[in-house]
Structure formats: structure tokens, C-alpha cells
Amino acid sequence: MSEEANPFESLQEQIDDAAAYVDVPGDVLERFKHPERVLETNLTVEMDDGSLSVFKAFRSQFNGDRGPYKGGIRYHPGVTRDEVKALSGWMVYKCAVVDIPYGGGKGGIVVEPRELSMTELERLTRSFAKELRPVIGEDRDIPAPDVNTGQREMNWIKDTYETLENTTAPGVITGKAIESGGSRGRVEATGRSVMLTAREAFDYLGKEIEGATVAVQGYGNAGSIAARLIESELGADVVAVSDSSGAIHHPDGLDTAAVRAHKDETGTVTGYPEAESELTNEELLTMDVDLLVPAALENAIDGDLAEDVAADVVVEAANGPLTPDADDVLTERGVHVFPDILANAGGVTVSYFEWVQNRQRFYWPESRVNDELERHIVEAFDGLTSAYEDNDLPNFRTAAYVVALQRVYRAYSEGGTWP
Ligand code: GLU
């Protein structure tokens, strides 16, 4: 595991790799490698015992050339300013790859949410929402869930914003519960786009997904739903899954829904009674499977570990799970990596549908959400593979950035420069 790779530098390297194939002037490229602004704030929150705690929090607005800043808010003790900057940049290129009318943003609070009570979490979230209020808005910056946040936090942020603004504005944030203006299909959307990307990737490479073996690292929202849909909709065998407590394995395939129920009950995937054996995280990442899905945090696979990755195909459910060194090694070794900015883009794509529904106050059935999502992901996949072939690109990540960078540059140059 490489703790050293700085995600912001990784993002800049990815942009540079693609820029070699896109006609963007160097000075304009600098713009696309840096956030427009970063809010850093220290939230003072009253704990249940009456004491005060201070939590550092960030919101990075990376680029708004294609529309309002868009991206999640994560709660994690490892959040840093550079991580949030990188994540906000990845959102710019993700929204461009799937061609939805947004720029990119990201937020985070340095906190271990498991150490807070629900009332403390609510005060923390409302305190952040109060700080964010001047810089967010339905047409300005639209946050969403990310690591360790979900419907509950989004509902609180929406409520705080609407109360302070004395209005109703459900489109100020996405990933809300249905009753608070959420969209059907949003909870599943990230996992669904991972499944769709795996399906398209295997088809494109002329490989059979039915009966293929799959390992999934990370069993949160993205990982557990991707695992379930890859098993139930594609007929693959999910032979290993992990979370921060360790990994479990069964050569004939795990019952992914039962593993999720076990995790909901006990807090971890380990100890699942039907598993044949338990593995380390590293053993899972280097298993000889047809498909590997990293669905945890950044830097899960570095250059050294990439030498031992035995999967044929990698589909990234997490943001930034491979370091640039890992990318180079896997490209060299002929392992096909389908990048995060395509594979996990289902989350933000259905966030876009949620925002459209909020603006129109007209709500769609789940079938429409899933059909529109499939259309966006399949079209994006086809655009990426065309760019890969037409430009003879080294890998699919560079192809995704080439497509995205062209779109961002076009939007920027059409608008021109404001002094
Ligand atoms: N946090 C998710 C992501 O990284 C979703 C963002 C959104 O829905 O705006 O793509």
C-alpha cells in the first residue's frame, strides 16, 4: 500500500497524460489542473456532554466551465485539503465523460463519524451546511453523498439551507431520501454503473461475463451494490469481498446479499459463516480472478502491488484507487483498467436526474431512471473506446480524460476569458 501518492498530483498527472493527445494550449491546461477555489473552515460543534470540538472541513470548487460545481461530501479521519482538491477535479472529468451539464466540486470533514452520536453528527452536518450556504445553491454548487455520508446527511443539509434561505430548494443537494425529494434508483446508481461498465467491458474485450470470477475490495454503498448487481444481473461469481476489517473468500461464489446482511448486523464482512476462508486485503487485490473491482479509497493499488495483480480486467468503483505508477505497470502488463470517471459515474448521473426532477417537481419511476442511466453509461463507454481506438491511446483512462478534456476545453473556449 502506498500512503505516499498524493491524489492531487495523481490527478494532475492523469490530465497531463491526456493533454499529450488533445490540442489544449499550455496556459489553458494550467487552468484545468487547479481548483478555482477551496473553502477551508473549522467547525465548532457542541458534543453531547456539553464540551466543544473543532473539526476541519473543506469544499473545493474545481471547475465550473460546463455547469454548476457538483460532487459529494465525505466524512473520514484521513480527509486532507489535497485529497478534496483531487476528488473535486475527478468530478469535473467524470461529469464531462458522461456528458452531464456540471463542473466538479468535492467536500470533506476530517472526522471519524463512528465516534460521534447521531445528535453530534447532526450538529456537525448543520454547522457545515451553514458555512457552505453562501457558496452552494441549485445553480451554483450542488453537494451529494460520498464516503460515510448518505441520505440522512443530505436531508439535514437541504433542511438547513432551506431554513436559512427561507425557501424550498431541493435541488441544492442530491442523494436525498425520497420523501425529501430524492430520486428513485439513486442509492443503487454507483453500483449499477460499475455493473454496466463491467458488462460493456467484457463484451468489448470479447470475454464472457457469465460465470466469470470477481473480487470486490470495499463493501460500502458502491462495492456491495456493484457486487450484488454483477452477481444477479450478469451471472458472474463474486468469489471474494473485503472491507477495512479483512476479506472473505469462497471459490464457488458468495451470496452477496447475505454478506451485506451480515455486515449490516455485525459491522464487518469478516466472520461471515458461509465463507470458506479469510484473506488479507492484499491477497484479495492480487487474486487470480477475471474481474477486480476496487471499491474503497484512493491508492489501494500502487506500482509494487500492481506487479502482482492477477486479474484480467479492473473496473474502478472507488475514486482514484490506482496510483499513476500502478496504471503504468498494469498498462505495460496488458491488464485492462476501466477508470473511475466512467465506472462510478452512475452516482452523479442519477444525481443529475434527481436535480432535474427537483427543478421540474416531476418525479420519475425507477424504470425511467435506470433506462436513462444505462443510456448515458453505454454512450460514454462507446465514446471512450472510440477515442481509444482512433487515437491509438495507451489505456482506457487516458481515453476517458481525452474525451473529457476536449469537452471542458470546448466549453471554456466558447465562453472566452473574463478578466
Ligand atoms: N460522491 C459521488 C462521486 O464521487 C457522487 C457525487 C454526486 O452525486 O454529485 O461521484
Side-chain angles (χ1 to χ4, degrees):
M1 294 272 289
S2 154
E3 256 75 63
E4 298 86 54
N6 176 326
F8 184 56
E9 287 167 13
S10 300
L11 165 79
Q12 294 190 320
E13 205 169 321
Q14 291 160 347
I15 298 168
D16 281 336
D17 285 347
Y21 303 92
V22 182
D23 199 12
V24 182
D27 45 0
V28 179
L29 191 63
E30 277 308 299
R31 168 181 177 77
F32 299 148
K33 287 167 63 178
H34 297 277
E36 290 176 18
R37 66 190 69 81
V38 183
L39 169 77
E40 179 174 336
T41 173
N42 294 290
L43 308 169
T44 306
V45 180
E46 187 177 337
M47 299 289 102
D48 290 342
D49 66 2
S51 66
L52 299 179
S53 290
V54 178
F55 299 91
K56 192 167 282 299
F58 305 96
R59 180 76 184 171
S60 169
Q61 298 181 329
F62 200 96
N63 181 287
D65 291 332
R66 298 185 71 257
Y69 310 105
K70 183 82 191 84
I73 294 174
R74 67 171 52 179
Y75 290 0
H76 196 276
V79 164
T80 65
R81 190 182 175 96
D82 270 1
E83 183 200 36
V84 172
K85 280 161 62 177
L87 289 160
S88 67
W90 284 324
M91 289 308 302
V92 175
Y93 297 97
K94 187 184 301 188
C95 293
V97 167
V98 286
D99 209 5
I100 57 176
Y102 290 136
K106 198 74 150 207
I109 305 181
V110 186
V111 60
E112 172 49 85
R114 283 176 294 199
E115 287 171 3
L116 266 56
S117 70
M118 185 149 105
T119 46
E120 289 167 343
L121 269 177
E122 179 171 353
R123 285 195 292 275
L124 174 68
T125 304
R126 289 190 187 276
S127 163
F128 194 30
K130 182 175 80 56
E131 288 300 313
L132 288 174
R133 185 182 63 97
V135 299
I136 62 174
E138 291 184 307
D139 294 310
R140 189 172 295 148
D141 181 357
I142 305 143
D146 198 77
V147 173
N148 292 328
T149 58
Q151 292 182 339
R152 185 182 60 181
E153 289 74 18
M154 302 306 112
N155 303 341
W156 287 332
I157 294 172
K158 168 189 171 259
D159 181 67
T160 307
Y161 182 86
E162 289 184 333
T163 303
L164 294 172
E165 291 284 329
N166 190 27
T167 188
T168 60
V172 69
I173 193 151
T174 59
K176 304 175 293 292
I178 301 285
E179 297 73 20
S180 289
S183 175
R184 291 185 170 72
R186 176 62 185 83
V187 171
E188 281 200 343
T190 307
R192 185 167 286 279
S193 67
V194 173
M195 178 274 288
L196 292 167
T197 302
R199 186 189 76 188
E200 295 302 303
F202 273 62
D203 186 52
Y204 178 77
L205 298 169
K207 291 175 184 286
E208 190 68 52
I209 186 80
E210 203 179 327
T213 52
V214 185
V216 180
Q217 182 232 9
Y219 220 60
N221 174 270
S224 68
I225 293 172
R228 174 163 60 75
L229 295 175
I230 287 171
E231 181 193 16
S232 64
E233 304 226 349
L234 305 182
D237 294 326
V238 178
V239 294
V241 305
S242 72
D243 61 15
S244 50
S245 68
I248 55 173
H249 173 236
H250 197 299
D252 300 333
L254 296 156
D255 178 339
T256 57
V259 174
R260 178 74 226 194
H262 172 81
K263 183 173 164 84
D264 287 344
E265 210 177 295
T266 66
T268 66
V269 298
T270 51
Y272 173 64
E274 308 298 323
E276 194 191 82
S277 57
E278 303 214 343
L279 311 171
T280 64
N281 189 51
E282 190 165 325
E283 283 168 332
L284 177 138
L285 291 168
T286 54
M287 267 181 79
D288 188 5
V289 284
D290 299 309
L291 170 63
L292 174 64
V293 180
L297 294 170
E298 303 91 79
N299 297 345
I301 303 178
D302 64 12
D304 289 341
L305 195 63
E307 298 283 358
D308 298 325
V309 166
D312 301 322
V313 179
V314 177
V315 173
E316 296 181 330
N319 289 310
L322 271 57
T323 65
D325 286 352
D327 253 340
D328 292 345
V329 171
L330 294 178
T331 300
E332 176 77 20
R333 294 186 49 226
V335 177
H336 299 291
V337 177
F338 290 86
D340 46 8
I341 61 170
L342 167 74
N344 73 27
V348 72
T349 302
V350 176
S351 277
Y352 166 52
F353 301 155
E354 179 174 334
W355 178 81
V356 167
Q357 293 170 75
N358 289 156
R359 309 306 294 271
Q360 299 186 338
R361 314 272 166 159
F362 177 77
Y363 288 86
W364 305 355
E366 187 164 348
S367 56
R368 178 169 175 194
V369 172
N370 289 345
D371 288 350
E372 291 277 357
L373 172 61
E374 178 163 358
R375 187 171 65 78
H376 272 78
I377 297 297
V378 171
E379 272 178 22
F381 186 94
D382 292 345
L384 185 153
T385 47
S386 302
Y388 174 75
E389 290 169 20
D390 296 348
N391 301 289
D392 201 15
L393 298 175
N395 56 44
F396 297 109
R397 188 184 317 278
T398 302
Y401 277 90
V402 164
V403 171
L405 199 53
Q406 277 166 341
R407 289 192 178 139
V408 179
Y409 177 53
R410 217 172 297 140
Y412 171 73
S413 50
E414 282 167 4
T417 307
W418 184 251

